[in-house]
Amino acid sequence: MNWGKWFRVALVFSVASIVMCGYADSGSNNASLPRIGPAPGFTLTTQEGKPLSLFDLRGNPIVVTFIFTSCRSACPMLTSKLVGIQRRIATDINPRVRFVAITVSPEVDTPDVLKAYAKAHGADLRSWAFLTGTPTAIEDVARRYAVFQKKRAPDDIEHTFLTSLIDAKGVIRVQYQGVEFSEDEFIADLRALAR
């Protein structure tokens, strides 16, 4: 599939996701959140060098996003925002929420590099997993989450900023596009999923 067609497919999925997010009533319960569809499964490698699958995380609300450590613009902003959200929910729902950041630059982002990135951002690794894998595995999981990516070099990647909230049964319930979303709305959706 050429990049133009792939970008259009990803854009349509992302727009549909944003529209569905708009219908979510963040102040209400889990049942009122939309059901976008089953979250695509994966088995990747953590910052500790251990395998982790989406199935391993079932039973908890899960936040899945895509980043790369050499990014100098939106990735560190998104990571910092999600770490801030993790800290804000620390006293009530944090132990039940798992945060997953999947690299789109596996050639550069080894487990050791991801671990250093996590520590630099103050991520609590009891609740966070930073994942890498083979280029083929990463390309596959990004495509199945409708994350467009175009590599000019391993450390120069254009990609979609799409963060998915997945319920305890493995269903994508809400997706956030970009980095400018409301933290309060995001936390309200996580609380709804935790209920």
Side-chain angles (χ1 to χ4, degrees):
M1 183 182 296
N2 66 38
W3 282 114
K5 185 174 181 185
W6 173 232
F7 180 74
R8 286 192 298 277
V9 169
L11 184 61
V12 166
F13 186 86
S14 297
V15 168
S17 298
I18 293 165
V19 169
M20 293 180 89
C21 287
Y23 289 110
D25 178 6
S26 300
S28 59
N29 63 29
N30 180 358
S32 71
L33 296 176
R35 295 180 193 278
I36 296 171
F42 55 77
T43 299
L44 297 169
T45 303
T46 70
Q47 72 280 348
E48 304 295 341
K50 298 177 180 176
L52 182 73
S53 71
L54 182 67
F55 187 80
D56 295 334
L57 303 173
R58 286 276 180 95
N60 301 291
I62 307 163
V63 177
V64 174
T65 197
F66 292 80
I67 54 95
F68 64 105
T69 64
S70 56
C71 174
R72 299 289 175 249
S73 56
C75 296
M77 292 184 344
L78 179 59
T79 303
S80 293
K81 189 168 198 169
L82 293 175
V83 167
I85 288 170
Q86 178 197 32
R87 289 180 182 150
R88 284 183 60 188
I89 63 173
T91 58
D92 55 355
I93 61 169
N94 186 31
R96 296 185 324 198
V97 177
R98 299 299 307 267
F99 291 81
V100 175
I102 300 172
T103 182
V104 293
S105 182
E107 302 89 346
V108 173
D109 291 341
T110 64
D112 287 341
V113 170
L114 289 171
K115 191 170 187 178
Y117 179 85
K119 287 184 177 180
H121 283 83
D124 181 348
L125 294 178
R126 292 171 297 180
S127 299
W128 270 93
F130 289 81
L131 303 180
T132 190
T134 66
T136 301
I138 294 297
E139 185 178 317
D140 176 64
V141 73
R143 176 185 51 78
R144 290 185 296 116
Y145 275 84
V147 172
F148 162 82
Q149 57 176 328
K150 183 174 182 181
K151 294 185 183 183
R152 295 182 179 86
D155 62 350
D156 183 12
I157 303 169
E158 184 180 327
H159 71 97
T160 311
F161 289 94
L162 190 65
T163 302
S164 301
L165 274 58
I166 301 168
D167 69 19
K169 295 180 180 177
V171 177
I172 297 176
R173 302 298 294 273
V174 184
Q175 292 182 302
Y176 286 85
Q177 178 74 32
V179 299
E180 299 297 324
F181 55 82
S182 161
E183 287 189 25
D184 290 341
E185 182 179 346
F186 195 99
I187 289 170
D189 287 338
L190 284 177
R191 287 194 171 119
L193 290 183
R195 283 195 293 269

